[in-house]
Amino acid sequence: MNLLVIGGGGREHALAWKLAQGSGVNRVYLTPGNPGMAIDEKLECTGIAAGEFASIASLVKEKNISFVVVGPDQAMADGAVDFLEAKGIPTFGPTKEASRIEWSKAYSKDLMRSAGIPTAKYETFDTAVAARKFLTEVEWADGWVIKADGLALGKGVVVCSSREEALKTVDDFLAGSMGAAGKKIVVEERLIGREVSAFFLCDGEIGVPLGLACDYKRIFDNDEGPNTGGMGAFSPADWVEKDFVSRVGKEVTKPLLAAMKSRGSPFKGIVFIGLMVTEQGPKVLEFNARFGDPETQVLMPLIDEDLLLWLRAAREGKLSTMPPSGPKLKKVHGVHVVLAAAGYPGTPKKGDAIAIDPSLVSPASWERNSVKLFFAGVAKQGERLATNGGRVLGLTALAASREEARKKAYGELEKIKFSGAQRRTDVGR
């Protein structure tokens, strides 16, 4: 069969690569994909933009594609699943209304409050006057978090340790620094603890765990500098308590799915739950209605069975026929490190030639060494690849321990060079 993954970043590369390993899969197309992905056997990039739904539907017919997986949040918010399903095309992901748990932070927080899902105290505002008044009156000992209501490429959240910083951020967001995404904001209590992301496959009724991952949001070591889309990740989260996943399933995923069903928008797809593990237990920071980036790049290599079977079961409402523990995972550790372009997360420099040791893009790199390169912001420059975006590429390494995986990942990254390359040195610590 032929499959299609919508999107063109590292997350979509990882999904397509994993799906291509499935039984009976002939080819995995990507819209648009990127030139780095095409190095992998069975992957074919089309150049069709992720938002060109009519062209995507035509491609599905032309290439006899059996199943579509939607990667980017914007495509879901724009109704990719609704459009394709209406044309009879089996598509994995939530509908536009169900994905509202991500594209509206205010909606998501209100849902958590009504469903009794543990989260931080908050209020929503659409005027600076009201938000500033609230900030001068509320007393939260650990600080404030200001969130743009809409999608902002992972950069619409500012953690503020002082009231002055919170007031300035409110003014910036509501004055237009986040565009349409910041027309409404959420002001919430800052939670103290350690962050972890939980992924659950959902079929509208039940959810099964896919895995846990910890990512690194800020550009510099020790969580300093501005937020990015993510500079690396590791999995599993080996520091959480044994019953953590089942607790999240009971306290978060189950009431979320019940609330969405009662609202007439059953959630089918993957829910990516950002959590803070506090002294009072796990509390939800945010919901995302898609696979994470870069978390997917470390989760996919850890899955030890055919992913397509699980995605189909979720779409068809048949997860009850699958093991409740979710897909089988390898009993090893994974670390993924991102290389970003000069200037990121501001204006990334484009056009710098990328030198990659051929051994890293050989199938043997994965088969013999459990190392895999995933491409994101790259373009073709003659016969070579060149930088063409903020997060250029990332490398995942698996090993018996997290520290071994970390050392392997950083060692293999030495085989990749381009001008101004940025990376954190503390991913996996």
Side-chain angles (χ1 to χ4, degrees), residues 50-86:
E52 294 178 5
F53 300 157
S55 297
I56 290 170
S58 296
L59 178 77
V60 168
K61 185 176 180 180
E62 177 192 341
K63 301 295 185 181
N64 193 26
I65 289 166
S66 306
F67 195 79
V68 178
V69 178
V70 183
D73 48 13
Q74 192 63 58
M76 289 176 195
D78 290 342
V81 174
D82 310 63
F83 183 92
L84 296 173
E85 286 281 356

PDB file of all heavy atoms in Angstrom, residues 50-86:
ATOM      1  N   ALA A  50       1.464  21.834   2.775  1.00  0.00           N
ATOM      2  CA  ALA A  50       0.603  21.148   3.734  1.00  0.00           C
ATOM      3  C   ALA A  50      -0.815  21.705   3.768  1.00  0.00           C
ATOM      4  O   ALA A  50      -1.751  21.006   4.168  1.00  0.00           O
ATOM      5  CB  ALA A  50       1.221  21.222   5.130  1.00  0.00           C
ATOM      6  N   GLY A  51      -0.995  22.959   3.345  1.00  0.00           N
ATOM      7  CA  GLY A  51      -2.311  23.571   3.375  1.00  0.00           C
ATOM      8  C   GLY A  51      -3.091  23.467   2.070  1.00  0.00           C
ATOM      9  O   GLY A  51      -4.233  23.927   1.989  1.00  0.00           O
ATOM     10  N   GLU A  52      -2.506  22.851   1.058  1.00  0.00           N
ATOM     11  CA  GLU A  52      -3.178  22.722  -0.236  1.00  0.00           C
ATOM     12  C   GLU A  52      -4.011  21.435  -0.262  1.00  0.00           C
ATOM     13  O   GLU A  52      -3.661  20.433  -0.902  1.00  0.00           O
ATOM     14  CB  GLU A  52      -2.149  22.733  -1.370  1.00  0.00           C
ATOM     15  CG  GLU A  52      -1.425  24.070  -1.504  1.00  0.00           C
ATOM     16  CD  GLU A  52      -0.368  24.053  -2.600  1.00  0.00           C
ATOM     17  OE1 GLU A  52      -0.258  23.044  -3.322  1.00  0.00           O
ATOM     18  OE2 GLU A  52       0.354  25.060  -2.718  1.00  0.00           O
ATOM     19  N   PHE A  53      -5.137  21.473   0.442  1.00  0.00           N
ATOM     20  CA  PHE A  53      -5.919  20.254   0.664  1.00  0.00           C
ATOM     21  C   PHE A  53      -6.460  19.653  -0.633  1.00  0.00           C
ATOM     22  O   PHE A  53      -6.486  18.428  -0.794  1.00  0.00           O
ATOM     23  CB  PHE A  53      -7.070  20.528   1.635  1.00  0.00           C
ATOM     24  CG  PHE A  53      -6.633  21.011   2.991  1.00  0.00           C
ATOM     25  CD1 PHE A  53      -7.495  21.731   3.799  1.00  0.00           C
ATOM     26  CD2 PHE A  53      -5.357  20.750   3.469  1.00  0.00           C
ATOM     27  CE1 PHE A  53      -7.105  22.179   5.046  1.00  0.00           C
ATOM     28  CE2 PHE A  53      -4.938  21.203   4.704  1.00  0.00           C
ATOM     29  CZ  PHE A  53      -5.824  21.922   5.509  1.00  0.00           C
ATOM     30  N   ALA A  54      -6.912  20.484  -1.567  1.00  0.00           N
ATOM     31  CA  ALA A  54      -7.452  19.965  -2.825  1.00  0.00           C
ATOM     32  C   ALA A  54      -6.370  19.236  -3.620  1.00  0.00           C
ATOM     33  O   ALA A  54      -6.615  18.160  -4.188  1.00  0.00           O
ATOM     34  CB  ALA A  54      -8.054  21.097  -3.652  1.00  0.00           C
ATOM     35  N   SER A  55      -5.160  19.805  -3.648  1.00  0.00           N
ATOM     36  CA  SER A  55      -4.041  19.160  -4.360  1.00  0.00           C
ATOM     37  C   SER A  55      -3.646  17.862  -3.668  1.00  0.00           C
ATOM     38  O   SER A  55      -3.282  16.882  -4.330  1.00  0.00           O
ATOM     39  CB  SER A  55      -2.840  20.109  -4.425  1.00  0.00           C
ATOM     40  OG  SER A  55      -3.149  21.272  -5.170  1.00  0.00           O
ATOM     41  N   ILE A  56      -3.724  17.859  -2.343  1.00  0.00           N
ATOM     42  CA  ILE A  56      -3.408  16.643  -1.595  1.00  0.00           C
ATOM     43  C   ILE A  56      -4.416  15.546  -1.920  1.00  0.00           C
ATOM     44  O   ILE A  56      -4.057  14.380  -2.137  1.00  0.00           O
ATOM     45  CB  ILE A  56      -3.363  16.934  -0.080  1.00  0.00           C
ATOM     46  CG1 ILE A  56      -2.130  17.787   0.245  1.00  0.00           C
ATOM     47  CG2 ILE A  56      -3.348  15.630   0.728  1.00  0.00           C
ATOM     48  CD1 ILE A  56      -2.103  18.332   1.666  1.00  0.00           C
ATOM     49  N   ALA A  57      -5.698  15.903  -1.979  1.00  0.00           N
ATOM     50  CA  ALA A  57      -6.745  14.925  -2.316  1.00  0.00           C
ATOM     51  C   ALA A  57      -6.523  14.357  -3.712  1.00  0.00           C
ATOM     52  O   ALA A  57      -6.714  13.150  -3.952  1.00  0.00           O
ATOM     53  CB  ALA A  57      -8.120  15.570  -2.200  1.00  0.00           C
ATOM     54  N   SER A  58      -6.095  15.195  -4.638  1.00  0.00           N
ATOM     55  CA  SER A  58      -5.813  14.730  -5.996  1.00  0.00           C
ATOM     56  C   SER A  58      -4.625  13.769  -6.003  1.00  0.00           C
ATOM     57  O   SER A  58      -4.624  12.760  -6.724  1.00  0.00           O
ATOM     58  CB  SER A  58      -5.506  15.918  -6.913  1.00  0.00           C
ATOM     59  OG  SER A  58      -6.639  16.757  -7.031  1.00  0.00           O
ATOM     60  N   LEU A  59      -3.604  14.085  -5.201  1.00  0.00           N
ATOM     61  CA  LEU A  59      -2.434  13.217  -5.097  1.00  0.00           C
ATOM     62  C   LEU A  59      -2.832  11.839  -4.559  1.00  0.00           C
ATOM     63  O   LEU A  59      -2.344  10.814  -5.028  1.00  0.00           O
ATOM     64  CB  LEU A  59      -1.383  13.860  -4.188  1.00  0.00           C
ATOM     65  CG  LEU A  59      -0.119  13.027  -3.950  1.00  0.00           C
ATOM     66  CD1 LEU A  59       0.795  13.098  -5.170  1.00  0.00           C
ATOM     67  CD2 LEU A  59       0.627  13.507  -2.708  1.00  0.00           C
ATOM     68  N   VAL A  60      -3.712  11.827  -3.556  1.00  0.00           N
ATOM     69  CA  VAL A  60      -4.167  10.570  -2.961  1.00  0.00           C
ATOM     70  C   VAL A  60      -4.783   9.666  -4.025  1.00  0.00           C
ATOM     71  O   VAL A  60      -4.507   8.459  -4.093  1.00  0.00           O
ATOM     72  CB  VAL A  60      -5.188  10.847  -1.832  1.00  0.00           C
ATOM     73  CG1 VAL A  60      -5.896   9.560  -1.399  1.00  0.00           C
ATOM     74  CG2 VAL A  60      -4.495  11.489  -0.630  1.00  0.00           C
ATOM     75  N   LYS A  61      -5.580  10.268  -4.891  1.00  0.00           N
ATOM     76  CA  LYS A  61      -6.227   9.499  -5.966  1.00  0.00           C
ATOM     77  C   LYS A  61      -5.197   9.043  -6.997  1.00  0.00           C
ATOM     78  O   LYS A  61      -5.181   7.877  -7.424  1.00  0.00           O
ATOM     79  CB  LYS A  61      -7.301  10.359  -6.632  1.00  0.00           C
ATOM     80  CG  LYS A  61      -8.115   9.620  -7.676  1.00  0.00           C
ATOM     81  CD  LYS A  61      -9.229  10.511  -8.227  1.00  0.00           C
ATOM     82  CE  LYS A  61     -10.049   9.747  -9.278  1.00  0.00           C
ATOM     83  NZ  LYS A  61     -11.137  10.596  -9.839  1.00  0.00           N
ATOM     84  N   GLU A  62      -4.311   9.964  -7.389  1.00  0.00           N
ATOM     85  CA  GLU A  62      -3.311   9.668  -8.420  1.00  0.00           C
ATOM     86  C   GLU A  62      -2.355   8.554  -7.996  1.00  0.00           C
ATOM     87  O   GLU A  62      -1.996   7.677  -8.803  1.00  0.00           O
ATOM     88  CB  GLU A  62      -2.520  10.947  -8.729  1.00  0.00           C
ATOM     89  CG  GLU A  62      -1.395  10.761  -9.723  1.00  0.00           C
ATOM     90  CD  GLU A  62      -0.459  11.963  -9.771  1.00  0.00           C
ATOM     91  OE1 GLU A  62      -0.859  13.070  -9.328  1.00  0.00           O
ATOM     92  OE2 GLU A  62       0.669  11.796 -10.247  1.00  0.00           O
ATOM     93  N   LYS A  63      -1.934   8.578  -6.729  1.00  0.00           N
ATOM     94  CA  LYS A  63      -0.927   7.626  -6.242  1.00  0.00           C
ATOM     95  C   LYS A  63      -1.543   6.429  -5.519  1.00  0.00           C
ATOM     96  O   LYS A  63      -0.805   5.615  -4.955  1.00  0.00           O
ATOM     97  CB  LYS A  63       0.057   8.341  -5.299  1.00  0.00           C
ATOM     98  CG  LYS A  63       0.795   9.514  -5.935  1.00  0.00           C
ATOM     99  CD  LYS A  63       1.705   9.068  -7.062  1.00  0.00           C
ATOM    100  CE  LYS A  63       2.531  10.224  -7.622  1.00  0.00           C
ATOM    101  NZ  LYS A  63       3.400   9.787  -8.740  1.00  0.00           N
ATOM    102  N   ASN A  64      -2.849   6.322  -5.531  1.00  0.00           N
ATOM    103  CA  ASN A  64      -3.536   5.199  -4.878  1.00  0.00           C
ATOM    104  C   ASN A  64      -3.116   5.079  -3.411  1.00  0.00           C
ATOM    105  O   ASN A  64      -2.703   4.013  -2.943  1.00  0.00           O
ATOM    106  CB  ASN A  64      -3.248   3.895  -5.628  1.00  0.00           C
ATOM    107  CG  ASN A  64      -4.179   2.771  -5.201  1.00  0.00           C
ATOM    108  OD1 ASN A  64      -5.301   3.016  -4.746  1.00  0.00           O
ATOM    109  ND2 ASN A  64      -3.706   1.540  -5.324  1.00  0.00           N
ATOM    110  N   ILE A  65      -3.216   6.183  -2.692  1.00  0.00           N
ATOM    111  CA  ILE A  65      -2.815   6.241  -1.277  1.00  0.00           C
ATOM    112  C   ILE A  65      -3.960   5.747  -0.397  1.00  0.00           C
ATOM    113  O   ILE A  65      -5.110   6.154  -0.563  1.00  0.00           O
ATOM    114  CB  ILE A  65      -2.396   7.686  -0.914  1.00  0.00           C
ATOM    115  CG1 ILE A  65      -1.059   8.010  -1.604  1.00  0.00           C
ATOM    116  CG2 ILE A  65      -2.295   7.875   0.594  1.00  0.00           C
ATOM    117  CD1 ILE A  65      -0.704   9.476  -1.617  1.00  0.00           C
ATOM    118  N   SER A  66      -3.638   4.851   0.538  1.00  0.00           N
ATOM    119  CA  SER A  66      -4.658   4.198   1.363  1.00  0.00           C
ATOM    120  C   SER A  66      -4.942   4.912   2.678  1.00  0.00           C
ATOM    121  O   SER A  66      -6.025   4.753   3.242  1.00  0.00           O
ATOM    122  CB  SER A  66      -4.212   2.765   1.703  1.00  0.00           C
ATOM    123  OG  SER A  66      -3.898   2.047   0.550  1.00  0.00           O
ATOM    124  N   PHE A  67      -3.962   5.678   3.189  1.00  0.00           N
ATOM    125  CA  PHE A  67      -4.096   6.228   4.540  1.00  0.00           C
ATOM    126  C   PHE A  67      -3.237   7.475   4.649  1.00  0.00           C
ATOM    127  O   PHE A  67      -2.115   7.506   4.144  1.00  0.00           O
ATOM    128  CB  PHE A  67      -3.653   5.188   5.570  1.00  0.00           C
ATOM    129  CG  PHE A  67      -4.059   5.478   6.992  1.00  0.00           C
ATOM    130  CD1 PHE A  67      -5.349   5.213   7.431  1.00  0.00           C
ATOM    131  CD2 PHE A  67      -3.145   5.991   7.911  1.00  0.00           C
ATOM    132  CE1 PHE A  67      -5.731   5.455   8.752  1.00  0.00           C
ATOM    133  CE2 PHE A  67      -3.514   6.237   9.227  1.00  0.00           C
ATOM    134  CZ  PHE A  67      -4.816   5.963   9.645  1.00  0.00           C
ATOM    135  N   VAL A  68      -3.772   8.505   5.316  1.00  0.00           N
ATOM    136  CA  VAL A  68      -3.080   9.789   5.462  1.00  0.00           C
ATOM    137  C   VAL A  68      -2.863  10.088   6.937  1.00  0.00           C
ATOM    138  O   VAL A  68      -3.757   9.863   7.762  1.00  0.00           O
ATOM    139  CB  VAL A  68      -3.895  10.934   4.822  1.00  0.00           C
ATOM    140  CG1 VAL A  68      -3.202  12.282   5.017  1.00  0.00           C
ATOM    141  CG2 VAL A  68      -4.133  10.660   3.336  1.00  0.00           C
ATOM    142  N   VAL A  69      -1.692  10.605   7.277  1.00  0.00           N
ATOM    143  CA  VAL A  69      -1.371  11.032   8.644  1.00  0.00           C
ATOM    144  C   VAL A  69      -1.038  12.523   8.591  1.00  0.00           C
ATOM    145  O   VAL A  69      -0.166  12.943   7.830  1.00  0.00           O
ATOM    146  CB  VAL A  69      -0.177  10.245   9.216  1.00  0.00           C
ATOM    147  CG1 VAL A  69       0.168  10.736  10.627  1.00  0.00           C
ATOM    148  CG2 VAL A  69      -0.487   8.754   9.241  1.00  0.00           C
ATOM    149  N   VAL A  70      -1.729  13.321   9.401  1.00  0.00           N
ATOM    150  CA  VAL A  70      -1.500  14.772   9.428  1.00  0.00           C
ATOM    151  C   VAL A  70      -0.500  15.105  10.530  1.00  0.00           C
ATOM    152  O   VAL A  70      -0.697  14.728  11.689  1.00  0.00           O
ATOM    153  CB  VAL A  70      -2.820  15.536   9.658  1.00  0.00           C
ATOM    154  CG1 VAL A  70      -2.573  17.043   9.604  1.00  0.00           C
ATOM    155  CG2 VAL A  70      -3.865  15.144   8.616  1.00  0.00           C
ATOM    156  N   GLY A  71       0.569  15.816  10.176  1.00  0.00           N
ATOM    157  CA  GLY A  71       1.596  16.171  11.141  1.00  0.00           C
ATOM    158  C   GLY A  71       1.421  17.526  11.802  1.00  0.00           C
ATOM    159  O   GLY A  71       1.275  17.624  13.016  1.00  0.00           O
ATOM    160  N   PRO A  72       1.373  18.636  11.030  1.00  0.00           N
ATOM    161  CA  PRO A  72       1.442  19.976  11.633  1.00  0.00           C
ATOM    162  C   PRO A  72       0.150  20.428  12.313  1.00  0.00           C
ATOM    163  O   PRO A  72      -0.958  20.105  11.855  1.00  0.00           O
ATOM    164  CB  PRO A  72       1.746  20.884  10.429  1.00  0.00           C
ATOM    165  CG  PRO A  72       2.121  19.975   9.312  1.00  0.00           C
ATOM    166  CD  PRO A  72       1.446  18.680   9.572  1.00  0.00           C
ATOM    167  N   ASP A  73       0.303  21.213  13.369  1.00  0.00           N
ATOM    168  CA  ASP A  73      -0.849  21.756  14.092  1.00  0.00           C
ATOM    169  C   ASP A  73      -1.689  22.672  13.209  1.00  0.00           C
ATOM    170  O   ASP A  73      -2.912  22.654  13.266  1.00  0.00           O
ATOM    171  CB  ASP A  73      -0.398  22.496  15.359  1.00  0.00           C
ATOM    172  CG  ASP A  73       0.750  23.479  15.134  1.00  0.00           C
ATOM    173  OD1 ASP A  73       1.061  23.781  13.966  1.00  0.00           O
ATOM    174  OD2 ASP A  73       1.333  23.936  16.133  1.00  0.00           O
ATOM    175  N   GLN A  74      -1.035  23.484  12.347  1.00  0.00           N
ATOM    176  CA  GLN A  74      -1.788  24.427  11.528  1.00  0.00           C
ATOM    177  C   GLN A  74      -2.703  23.713  10.540  1.00  0.00           C
ATOM    178  O   GLN A  74      -3.827  24.144  10.297  1.00  0.00           O
ATOM    179  CB  GLN A  74      -0.830  25.352  10.772  1.00  0.00           C
ATOM    180  CG  GLN A  74      -1.517  26.552  10.119  1.00  0.00           C
ATOM    181  CD  GLN A  74      -2.156  27.487  11.143  1.00  0.00           C
ATOM    182  OE1 GLN A  74      -1.490  28.002  12.026  1.00  0.00           O
ATOM    183  NE2 GLN A  74      -3.474  27.679  11.039  1.00  0.00           N
ATOM    184  N   ALA A  75      -2.227  22.604   9.981  1.00  0.00           N
ATOM    185  CA  ALA A  75      -3.052  21.848   9.039  1.00  0.00           C
ATOM    186  C   ALA A  75      -4.310  21.316   9.722  1.00  0.00           C
ATOM    187  O   ALA A  75      -5.403  21.328   9.146  1.00  0.00           O
ATOM    188  CB  ALA A  75      -2.246  20.706   8.429  1.00  0.00           C
ATOM    189  N   MET A  76      -4.160  20.863  10.969  1.00  0.00           N
ATOM    190  CA  MET A  76      -5.332  20.375  11.711  1.00  0.00           C
ATOM    191  C   MET A  76      -6.281  21.520  12.042  1.00  0.00           C
ATOM    192  O   MET A  76      -7.500  21.396  11.909  1.00  0.00           O
ATOM    193  CB  MET A  76      -4.881  19.659  12.976  1.00  0.00           C
ATOM    194  CG  MET A  76      -4.224  18.330  12.697  1.00  0.00           C
ATOM    195  SD  MET A  76      -3.594  17.577  14.193  1.00  0.00           S
ATOM    196  CE  MET A  76      -2.516  16.330  13.501  1.00  0.00           C
ATOM    197  N   ALA A  77      -5.706  22.645  12.470  1.00  0.00           N
ATOM    198  CA  ALA A  77      -6.532  23.805  12.812  1.00  0.00           C
ATOM    199  C   ALA A  77      -7.267  24.341  11.584  1.00  0.00           C
ATOM    200  O   ALA A  77      -8.346  24.924  11.717  1.00  0.00           O
ATOM    201  CB  ALA A  77      -5.658  24.907  13.418  1.00  0.00           C
ATOM    202  N   ASP A  78      -6.684  24.118  10.403  1.00  0.00           N
ATOM    203  CA  ASP A  78      -7.312  24.573   9.158  1.00  0.00           C
ATOM    204  C   ASP A  78      -8.309  23.564   8.596  1.00  0.00           C
ATOM    205  O   ASP A  78      -8.920  23.807   7.560  1.00  0.00           O
ATOM    206  CB  ASP A  78      -6.242  24.877   8.108  1.00  0.00           C
ATOM    207  CG  ASP A  78      -5.430  26.125   8.445  1.00  0.00           C
ATOM    208  OD1 ASP A  78      -5.896  26.933   9.271  1.00  0.00           O
ATOM    209  OD2 ASP A  78      -4.328  26.278   7.889  1.00  0.00           O
ATOM    210  N   GLY A  79      -8.439  22.396   9.273  1.00  0.00           N
ATOM    211  CA  GLY A  79      -9.452  21.424   8.870  1.00  0.00           C
ATOM    212  C   GLY A  79      -9.007  20.378   7.873  1.00  0.00           C
ATOM    213  O   GLY A  79      -9.821  19.868   7.094  1.00  0.00           O
ATOM    214  N   ALA A  80      -7.721  19.987   7.893  1.00  0.00           N
ATOM    215  CA  ALA A  80      -7.228  18.976   6.952  1.00  0.00           C
ATOM    216  C   ALA A  80      -7.993  17.663   7.082  1.00  0.00           C
ATOM    217  O   ALA A  80      -8.392  17.061   6.073  1.00  0.00           O
ATOM    218  CB  ALA A  80      -5.734  18.737   7.175  1.00  0.00           C
ATOM    219  N   VAL A  81      -8.193  17.214   8.318  1.00  0.00           N
ATOM    220  CA  VAL A  81      -8.872  15.933   8.541  1.00  0.00           C
ATOM    221  C   VAL A  81     -10.317  16.001   8.048  1.00  0.00           C
ATOM    222  O   VAL A  81     -10.806  15.092   7.363  1.00  0.00           O
ATOM    223  CB  VAL A  81      -8.807  15.537  10.027  1.00  0.00           C
ATOM    224  CG1 VAL A  81      -9.640  14.280  10.299  1.00  0.00           C
ATOM    225  CG2 VAL A  81      -7.356  15.309  10.452  1.00  0.00           C
ATOM    226  N   ASP A  82     -11.011  17.086   8.370  1.00  0.00           N
ATOM    227  CA  ASP A  82     -12.398  17.268   7.930  1.00  0.00           C
ATOM    228  C   ASP A  82     -12.492  17.205   6.398  1.00  0.00           C
ATOM    229  O   ASP A  82     -13.364  16.524   5.847  1.00  0.00           O
ATOM    230  CB  ASP A  82     -12.944  18.613   8.409  1.00  0.00           C
ATOM    231  CG  ASP A  82     -12.715  18.854   9.889  1.00  0.00           C
ATOM    232  OD1 ASP A  82     -11.542  18.918  10.309  1.00  0.00           O
ATOM    233  OD2 ASP A  82     -13.694  18.978  10.627  1.00  0.00           O
ATOM    234  N   PHE A  83     -11.596  17.916   5.727  1.00  0.00           N
ATOM    235  CA  PHE A  83     -11.627  18.001   4.264  1.00  0.00           C
ATOM    236  C   PHE A  83     -11.399  16.628   3.630  1.00  0.00           C
ATOM    237  O   PHE A  83     -12.147  16.211   2.726  1.00  0.00           O
ATOM    238  CB  PHE A  83     -10.559  18.989   3.783  1.00  0.00           C
ATOM    239  CG  PHE A  83     -10.545  19.210   2.298  1.00  0.00           C
ATOM    240  CD1 PHE A  83     -11.279  20.233   1.732  1.00  0.00           C
ATOM    241  CD2 PHE A  83      -9.795  18.384   1.456  1.00  0.00           C
ATOM    242  CE1 PHE A  83     -11.268  20.437   0.341  1.00  0.00           C
ATOM    243  CE2 PHE A  83      -9.787  18.577   0.076  1.00  0.00           C
ATOM    244  CZ  PHE A  83     -10.527  19.610  -0.471  1.00  0.00           C
ATOM    245  N   LEU A  84     -10.369  15.926   4.083  1.00  0.00           N
ATOM    246  CA  LEU A  84     -10.007  14.649   3.471  1.00  0.00           C
ATOM    247  C   LEU A  84     -11.025  13.559   3.789  1.00  0.00           C
ATOM    248  O   LEU A  84     -11.403  12.769   2.914  1.00  0.00           O
ATOM    249  CB  LEU A  84      -8.606  14.239   3.908  1.00  0.00           C
ATOM    250  CG  LEU A  84      -7.480  15.179   3.457  1.00  0.00           C
ATOM    251  CD1 LEU A  84      -6.153  14.788   4.074  1.00  0.00           C
ATOM    252  CD2 LEU A  84      -7.367  15.202   1.928  1.00  0.00           C
ATOM    253  N   GLU A  85     -11.482  13.512   5.043  1.00  0.00           N
ATOM    254  CA  GLU A  85     -12.484  12.504   5.415  1.00  0.00           C
ATOM    255  C   GLU A  85     -13.784  12.719   4.638  1.00  0.00           C
ATOM    256  O   GLU A  85     -14.464  11.766   4.258  1.00  0.00           O
ATOM    257  CB  GLU A  85     -12.747  12.538   6.918  1.00  0.00           C
ATOM    258  CG  GLU A  85     -11.632  11.929   7.769  1.00  0.00           C
ATOM    259  CD  GLU A  85     -11.671  10.403   7.810  1.00  0.00           C
ATOM    260  OE1 GLU A  85     -12.611   9.808   7.234  1.00  0.00           O
ATOM    261  OE2 GLU A  85     -10.756   9.795   8.405  1.00  0.00           O
ATOM    262  N   ALA A  86     -14.141  13.977   4.385  1.00  0.00           N
ATOM    263  CA  ALA A  86     -15.362  14.271   3.619  1.00  0.00           C
ATOM    264  C   ALA A  86     -15.265  13.739   2.197  1.00  0.00           C
ATOM    265  O   ALA A  86     -16.292  13.496   1.542  1.00  0.00           O
ATOM    266  CB  ALA A  86     -15.620  15.772   3.593  1.00  0.00           C
TER     267      ALA A  86
END
